[in-house]
Amino acid sequence: MHMADALLSPAVGGIMWAVSAGTIALGSAQLRREHDDRQAPLMGVLGAFLFAAQMINFSIPGTGSSGHLGGGLLLAVLLGPSASFLTIASVLVVQALFFADGGLLALGCNIFNLGVIPSFLVYPFLYRALSKGEMSKGDRHLAEPVPGGAPGKLRENAAVMISALVAMQLGSLAVVLETGLSGISSLPLERFLLLMQPIHLAIGAVEGAVTVAILSFVRKARPELLRRAPDNAGRSRFAVLLAFLVIALVTGGFLSQLASKNPDGLEWSFAKAGGKVAAPGAGEGVHGLLAHLQEKSAWFPDYAVKRAAPRPLPSGAGDLPDAASAVPGVVGTILTLALVCVAGALLKRGKERVETPDA
């Protein structure tokens, strides 16, 4: 669902940049008020995991399209809305800057569609309402209801599934509205809308199933990882975080090479509606400037190693070795981990300055 700059006018893109930047400021302020230093490493590892997971596109049978995990609801349940949003925003920044996945002008839209909607709209107003009161007796010390918990397992899983579907539907609807308000494409918006919503319903169903599976695994393996649970098993917690990081590196470096090559739901809908998938920033002005900047910053455009020069390759050397193909995923996973951890450290430092103004 990563939008390209070609769909957006500078006005709409700029407004969504302002909205997302303001939400980042509010989310950061909220985290500074929270006194939980365990969040930073968990945010970093889950951000790295989400980056790697989003590299795996799965085919949507019978359509010729594909989708990938959004991850917003999953992170909101595990981290809470503010930490979830800032983690997703960091993932999207890495994807846009270093992998040219989503345009720079569209970054504000992508942060809103994939971060704000699941973290600040769906999670607090839908998921929590649907799962309220279904914690098991042993889980009542937790601040948040835990999916997969007996005896409300069925209701919890239903809450996850419904919330994942709604988050994906609202996100895809936002893409259509932002495209329509921009008015720079010749897309028939009604047809675009009628293609976007059903295909993202299928993607949302997979997202919900994967989210249920991961949350159930986490709850069984280490329930203290769930938000605000008492942490009385630090060594075990470290082991689980390390396991998540290893899974992320293996997924990003190797399993991602098995991803579907079909266009994702947005690209598929755009093409089916009669549009042409143009290179972001193919135009002039703001689009051209941002495309030039992204070309300079993108080390791995389309998650592939950038070639130094477009020279013809010797016969039989068209494909990079497997080891080289793994580099983008591994580097992206580490970059995301580093960016989220740096953000967490800055927030902690800001909190300490507020608490000790003379320091």
Side-chain angles (χ1 to χ4, degrees):
M1 205 191 298
H2 296 64
M3 294 183 74
D5 287 354
L7 297 176
L8 291 171
S9 67
V12 172
I15 290 172
M16 296 309 295
W17 253 90
V19 170
S20 293
T23 311
I24 288 174
L26 291 174
S28 300
Q30 176 62 35
L31 277 186
R32 279 198 297 269
R33 288 193 292 271
E34 295 179 358
H35 298 272
D36 190 351
D37 292 338
R38 301 169 304 165
Q39 286 286 71
L42 185 57
M43 289 169 60
V45 169
L46 290 178
F49 175 77
L50 181 60
F51 173 87
Q54 287 193 352
M55 290 183 67
I56 299 183
N57 277 44
F58 47 83
S59 296
I60 305 299
T63 63
S65 71
S66 67
H68 62 70
L69 192 69
L73 181 65
L74 171 67
L75 265 59
V77 175
L78 291 173
L79 296 169
S82 295
S84 164
F85 169 69
L86 293 176
T87 302
I88 295 170
S90 300
V91 172
L92 290 167
V93 167
V94 170
Q95 290 172 334
L97 282 179
F98 301 110
F99 295 83
D101 190 5
L104 295 182
L105 179 62
L107 184 57
C109 292
N110 290 328
I111 290 176
F112 183 88
N113 302 342
L114 290 165
V116 173
I117 288 176
S119 298
F120 290 124
L121 294 178
V122 174
Y123 172 75
F125 296 112
L126 181 62
Y127 169 77
R128 294 188 67 176
L130 292 175
S131 58
K132 186 177 181 181
E134 287 299 319
M135 284 187 289
S136 66
K137 184 177 179 179
D139 288 334
R140 287 174 186 166
H141 61 283
L142 303 181
E144 301 291 340
V146 181
K153 183 175 181 179
L154 180 61
R155 180 170 175 173
E156 296 284 359
N157 290 346
V160 171
M161 287 297 301
I162 294 171
S163 300
L165 288 170
V166 171
M168 195 60 70
Q169 287 296 289
L170 290 178
S172 56
L173 177 61
V175 169
V176 176
L177 293 176
E178 289 154 0
T179 302
L181 290 172
S182 293
I184 64 170
S185 73
S186 58
L187 275 176
L189 286 181
E190 289 186 1
R191 180 167 172 74
F192 188 40
L193 177 66
L194 292 175
L195 289 163
M196 281 287 285
Q197 300 309 123
I199 198 65
H200 283 90
L201 191 65
I203 295 171
V206 178
E207 165 111 9
V210 172
T211 303
V212 166
I214 294 176
L215 291 175
S216 297
F217 167 76
V218 171
R219 185 177 185 280
K220 290 178 181 176
R222 289 260 57 93
E224 67 270 18
L225 280 183
L226 293 168
R227 185 171 177 253
R228 298 179 187 176
D231 189 2
N232 53 9
R235 184 171 297 177
S236 298
R237 176 187 173 89
F238 175 78
V240 174
L241 290 179
L242 182 60
F244 259 104
L245 181 58
V246 171
I247 292 172
L249 290 170
V250 171
T251 301
F254 299 99
L255 298 182
S256 60
Q257 297 176 41
L258 304 176
S260 170
K261 303 300 181 185
N262 290 336
D264 67 17
L266 171 56
E267 295 170 342
W268 177 85
S269 301
F270 187 77
K272 286 284 185 179
K276 296 181 180 179
V277 182
E284 300 178 347
V286 174
H287 287 83
L289 174 62
L290 293 177
H292 178 71
L293 291 176
Q294 192 172 40
E295 184 181 1
K296 295 294 184 184
S297 68
W299 299 344
F300 307 108
D302 297 325
Y303 299 91
V305 176
K306 185 191 293 185
R307 299 185 188 280
R311 293 178 300 180
L313 295 172
S315 177
D319 297 326
L320 290 170
D322 290 342
S325 300
V327 169
V330 172
V331 172
T333 301
I334 295 173
L335 276 176
T336 305
L337 173 68
L339 179 60
V340 179
C341 287
V342 167
L346 292 175
L347 289 174
K348 180 180 178 181
R349 186 175 180 182
K351 183 180 73 175
E352 291 172 349
R353 284 184 174 178
V354 170
E355 292 174 344
T356 55
D358 295 334

